[in-house]
Each structure stands twice: as structure tokens, then as C-alpha cells.
Amino acid sequence: MKHAWFKTTLAIAVASASCQLMANGLAINEQSVSGMGTGFAGRSSSAQDASTVFGNPAGMSRLERAEASVGVAAIKANTKISNVDSSVTGTNKGDIAPEAAVPFGYYVRPLNDKWHFGLGVYVPFGVISDYESTSQGRHHGLYSKVQVMTVQPTLSYQINDRVAIGFGPTINKIDGKLTSNPIAALGSPAEVNIKGDDIGYGFNAGILVDVTERLAWGFTYHSKVEYELEGRIRTSGFPTGTPLPVPPNGSYKATLDFTSPESADTSVTYKANDKWTLYAGATWTRWSQLDSIVAELKQPLPGFSEVGEELNWEDTWSYAVGVAYQLNPGWVLRGGFTLDESPTSNADRTVRIPVSNRKIVSLGAGWNINRDWTMDFAYSYLRESQGSVDRGDYRADYRNSAHGAGVQLTHRF
């Protein structure tokens, strides 16, 4: 028997929880600081450094020497909650997303005139949302943590002077945790805690074409990844006779089938002259795969065998334009603007995913210290449209914003 248990399961935490990162849903954009400076416009059509392993593996063919790029992006988010209507007493402090750091590292080396090898370690998905224990929406969600760490060995092949292709399998480790107070309305401190993890496999493939000497076009496809999370559902503090379809207080083994969505990115890079370079791109993400997800108890109990909920997410598009200006041989300045659609709407938005359509402004710079070393810096400001959450017994308006900053160091051998 399936129950829409306390309105949110581990599936929702894994599939949906995201408030502080610079891409919508639970996706993360911060795999490259050099790309962050232009709002990730041109991500699949410009190979600026080894981070092209993620942006477009075909771009490795553009790198003349072996090189390594490492970096980190830090995000500080702010959430404002207003117009709350709930039968549960409590607080609405907002600021549900703590500061987050997103590390990454890449290595690329030429094997010969045609082949390049690369290796990337990065975080494609991740989130932490943490409400205060007295939040009025605590019966719909208190804490969510989801993280995917990916390792990607990659090869690229230069077909001719204008066309290159690249491919790399991905090895992805996912961890998720969720807590909730589903009977807050009854004044009970009872808590549900769900955790799970798994390893899944996918791939990243791309093509890069020099249309002319000044114009390049690229296309990158990130595959879906299927997981079967193995974990536990723990319940505690529920009084006898709780009028909810929950299992008795205890710990229960459970599994959850989850598929992270595929995405496709296409972009163009146009070198107008020795000073100016223009970028434009679009990314499609198939969030509609997350129509509904169910977690199943390994040993069903009488009247209770699985939990689940409808998501009704929709596919999304993200659009970006950017520009780079070569100030002098040592410095390049960058800027970008991004529009990012939300996969959810007022009809389906939840406490764990109070995200809306986003606008992002980015600034960046690259410093060529010498022939072997480059340091990149970037800053982004994100602001969302106001979105409403309506869970029946809890209604509120949410408004999210965030500051992001990153630094990256590249060394050529």
C-alpha cells in the first residue's frame, strides 16, 4: 500500500531540494570558475582550460600542453518567507541554506596529435536546506542534504582541422538525508529521519566545430544516471495512536529508485577581434523524468509497504550570453547574464524546493601570471521571482537570492 507519507520522502530530497546553488532544480553549475565569469555562456564551444572535461570533452583537443585546473566556488544564499498561513505555530526565519563550498579538479594531457586524455572530479548535483526546529513548515520538511560526487575519465579525438569529439564515462556517488516533523500540528516532537546512498554510472559526450576561424559551435550531452539508494527510515517520538499512516517507532531498511535527469548544452563562441569575444548558449534539462518517485520498505509492514509523492516537474531551458575583453596580455575581463527556468510552479512547489525562475549576473577575470600559470576569479548574483508554497495546511511566499564567488588555478606542464 502506498502513502503520500508526510508529503515528502527521501525521493523529494534527492530529486528536488535546492535553494542556494546557481542552477535550478538540484543541479550545480559551479564546475569551472573561468566559465562562471561569463555566466557559463559558451560552455560547450570554448575550451579555456582543463575544466572543458565537464563543459565539453571534445574541447580537450584544443589544449596544446598537459594542464591541471583546480578550484572552489562558495555560495551564500538568502531566503525570505512572508505571508504565512498555517495552523502550526512557530517561526519563519528563512535563511534555510547554509554557506556551501563546491570543489572541483581536472587534468588533461595530449597523447598524440589526435588523442587527448582527461580526468575530472566534480559535483554535478548537491544541496543542503536546513530550517530552524520551530519552523511553521517543519511538518513538511526540516533538513535535506543531497550530494553527488563524480569521477570522469575522458578521451577526445581530433577528426580534422575543424572537428573534434569527446566522450567520458561517469562514476557517480550519491548520498541523501532527510528529516521532518510530520505531526507538528499535533504539538508532538516526533521525527522521521531517512538516509540512503548508491553509486550510478553514466557518460558525458560532446562535439566541437570550428565553423570559421572566428566562430566555434559546441554541443554537450550529459546522460541520465540511475540509482537504487539503499538506506534506512527511522521514526521516533510518535505517541501511541498517531492518526497517520506511519510505521511504529523504529528503524527500517528501505530502497529508492531514482534517476538524475539528462541535459544538453549548445553554445557558440565568436572572436570579434583581438580584444572582444562573445558567447551565447542554451541548456535543456529533462526534469520531467521526476514525475513521481517511490521508496519501498524491504520488509513491508501491515498496511505500510512504500512511500511516495507526485512531483509533476517540467523540462526546463536556461539561456546565457557573455562577453570577454582582453585588457592586456596578462588580464582578461568577463561578464555574463543568465535566465534559468524553474522545474516547478506554484501548484507543485514544496517547502524543500521553494525555487522559482532565476536571473543571474556574473563578473569575472583571468590573470595569466606567466606562460605556465593562470588564475581565474568570478562573482555571481542570483535573484529569483517570488514563488508560493501551498501545501493545504501551510501557505507562504518565498523569495530567494544568492551570492557566489569562485577562484581557480591552472598549471600547464
Side-chain angles (χ1 to χ4, degrees), residues 120-328:
V121 180
Y122 54 87
V123 181
F125 301 100
V127 67
I128 299 176
S129 63
D130 190 4
Y131 284 83
E132 70 273 17
S133 61
T134 56
S135 166
Q136 279 188 272
R138 60 190 181 275
H139 50 307
H140 294 288
L142 276 173
Y143 178 84
S144 302
K145 181 178 181 180
V146 181
Q147 177 177 294
V148 176
M149 180 68 73
T150 297
V151 177
Q152 179 187 320
T154 310
L155 287 172
S156 71
Y157 179 70
Q158 185 78 40
I159 297 176
N160 54 44
D161 291 343
R162 292 188 178 274
V163 181
I165 57 175
F167 175 86
T170 61
I171 306 160
N172 309 272
K173 175 68 164 60
I174 188 171
D175 294 279
K177 179 182 178 181
L178 158 69
T179 63
S180 184
N181 175 206
I183 55 176
L186 304 180
S188 170
E191 182 176 274
V192 178
N193 183 319
I194 304 178
K195 296 180 67 176
D197 61 83
D198 191 27
I199 295 177
Y201 303 91
F203 67 89
N204 180 7
I207 182 171
L208 181 59
V209 180
D210 290 326
V211 181
T212 68
E213 292 184 357
R214 294 184 178 275
L215 178 66
W217 168 79
F219 177 85
T220 308
Y221 176 78
H222 296 270
S223 76
K224 66 181 182 181
V225 179
E226 296 180 347
Y227 302 94
E228 184 180 86
L229 280 75
E230 299 280 346
R232 287 185 173 274
I233 298 175
R234 293 182 173 87
T235 58
S236 62
F238 285 90
T240 303
T242 299
L244 287 175
V246 297
N249 294 328
S251 178
Y252 307 90
K253 291 183 179 180
T255 62
L256 172 76
D257 291 333
F258 167 71
T259 301
S260 63
E262 66 261 46
S263 65
D265 182 277
T266 186
S267 67
V268 293
T269 298
Y270 179 69
K271 190 172 179 59
N273 52 47
D274 292 339
K275 292 289 188 180
W276 292 95
T277 302
L278 308 177
Y279 308 92
T283 302
W284 172 82
T285 305
R286 192 183 176 190
W287 288 116
S288 61
Q289 287 185 147
L290 303 179
D291 182 53
S292 63
I293 308 178
V294 176
E296 298 181 354
L297 269 67
K298 284 193 171 183
Q299 295 182 340
L301 300 173
F304 190 92
S305 61
E306 58 186 43
V307 296
E309 184 176 338
E310 298 295 322
L311 296 181
N312 299 318
W313 275 31
E314 299 178 351
D315 298 339
T316 63
W317 282 93
S318 174
Y319 306 94
V321 293
V323 62
Y325 178 72
Q326 193 71 46
L327 184 64
N328 55 48

Side-chain angles (χ1 to χ4, degrees), residues 345-401:
S345 63
N346 287 345
D348 298 296
R349 188 176 291 107
T350 73
V351 167
R352 295 190 191 275
I353 48 165
V355 292
S356 299
N357 295 331
R358 298 176 170 184
K359 297 178 181 178
I360 306 170
V361 177
S362 301
L363 298 172
W367 176 30
N368 291 316
I369 302 171
N370 55 42
R371 184 172 180 270
D372 298 329
W373 293 91
T374 298
M375 183 169 286
D376 293 286
F377 312 88
Y379 165 79
S380 294
Y381 176 71
L382 174 155
R383 185 170 177 81
E384 290 188 358
S385 303
Q386 181 172 287
S388 299
V389 171
D390 187 350
R391 299 287 90 190
D393 57 348
Y394 175 81
R395 300 179 181 85
D397 293 330
Y398 280 72
R399 190 70 176 265
N400 301 311
S401 61

